[in-house]
Each structure stands twice: as C-alpha cells, then as structure tokens.
Amino acid sequence: MPVRDTPFGAYNFLVEFDGNDAPTSALGGFSDVSGIGTEITLMEYRQGNDKENRVRKIPGLHKAGDVTLKRGIMGQTNFLQWVNITRVDPTHKRSVTITLQNEQRVPILRWRLINARPMKFTGPTLAAKGGSDVAMEELVLAAEGFEFEEV
C-alpha cells in the first residue's frame, strides 16, 4: 500500500460477490458498507503453580463481524433472491470482496468475507411526505471467515 500524507477517501469502493451459482459479479451500487472487521476472543487461564495471582490471556477463536450493505432500490431483486435461496438452502454461501480504491480507481486494500450468507434484510421506509428521499434497502451478512490484503 502506498504511503500518503492524507488518508484515503471512504467513498471509492467496490463490492463483489461470488458463490455457488454465479461468477464474480457486483449486485448493484452501494452507498454504505459498515461493520468490516474481525474479533479475536481471549481465554483466561491460570496455572496452579504461578507465583503471581493473575490470569494469562491466550488467543482463542476468531470471528468476522457482521457486515451491513446499503443501496438505493433500482429494480434489482438479487438481495431478495439471495435471502430466499438461503431460507430454502441454509448451506448456500458466497464470498464477498470489498475493495477500497484510491482517487484513480486503483485498488489499495481488500477485505474478504468467507462463506457469507444473509442474516437480515430490511426494506425501505416508505413515507409520502418525503418527496426527495431515496428508497434504501439493507442487507446484513454473517461470515465464517475474514481476510484482508494490501493490493
């Protein structure tokens, strides 16, 4: 990753999906992606013959955070199709790759969710009074693994 004096903007990113039934493809333009991360749980352990009365912290399992994707509704139903497939076939999983790009659209960082599946879908809030608001949908993904790489 190139070293810079200013941070990269959070507005230039790609989200790609691959899985059991489709080649790598985008599922529309996203306005927000949040929750990218991983957590390592620590186990506490104390040996009976330790001179100090303290616990040791030992790394245990690690898990991927739940990632939320938001986009404006534009007539695509692929979110709902994926939710329906997962409800019928709980083994259906996909890998999701999120790529941060610089101003020239050159990839900088990549985060990959391994064996992701939808865990929550939220449709738009519809209100007749807000004539300029965009109808948004949201998909929350749970993943079994998490990787990241510098490009």
Side-chain angles (χ1 to χ4, degrees):
M1 175 176 12
V3 177
R4 300 171 27 140
D5 292 333
T6 58
F8 292 102
Y11 57 86
N12 202 354
F13 60 92
L14 292 174
V15 180
E16 296 175 299
F17 297 79
D18 60 89
N20 301 351
D21 61 348
T24 300
S25 62
L27 289 184
F30 295 94
S31 64
D32 295 277
V33 176
S34 61
I36 300 170
T38 186
E39 179 181 339
I40 302 169
T41 58
L42 298 176
M43 299 180 291
E44 295 185 351
Y45 175 76
R46 182 184 180 280
Q47 289 180 312
N49 62 351
D50 277 346
K51 294 186 189 235
E52 274 189 64
N53 190 19
R54 64 176 175 87
V55 296
R56 297 172 191 233
K57 304 280 184 168
I58 302 168
L61 297 174
H62 58 91
K63 62 181 179 177
D66 298 336
V67 174
T68 302
L69 307 172
K70 294 180 184 179
R71 69 178 184 185
I73 295 178
M74 296 177 48
Q76 295 177 328
T77 59
N78 41 22
F79 271 7
L80 292 171
Q81 290 170 359
W82 192 12
V83 170
N84 284 335
I85 290 169
T86 303
R87 292 192 318 192
V88 173
D89 178 12
T91 64
H92 184 81
K93 303 169 192 171
R94 288 184 168 173
S95 292
V96 179
T97 304
I98 303 153
T99 305
L100 178 66
Q101 301 177 348
N102 67 12
E103 293 80 4
Q104 290 77 37
R105 301 192 62 80
V106 175
I108 302 299
L109 280 173
R110 226 175 240 131
W111 298 274
R112 186 171 177 84
L113 303 174
I114 302 162
N115 293 334
R117 62 177 63 129
M119 63 181 276
K120 181 181 178 184
F121 171 82
T122 305
T125 300
L126 303 174
K129 65 180 171 88
S132 64
D133 294 342
V134 173
M136 300 289 289
E137 61 185 348
E138 177 179 303
L139 186 67
V140 180
L141 301 176
E144 294 176 4
F146 176 84
E147 296 174 346
F148 63 93
E149 67 175 321
E150 295 180 24
V151 181

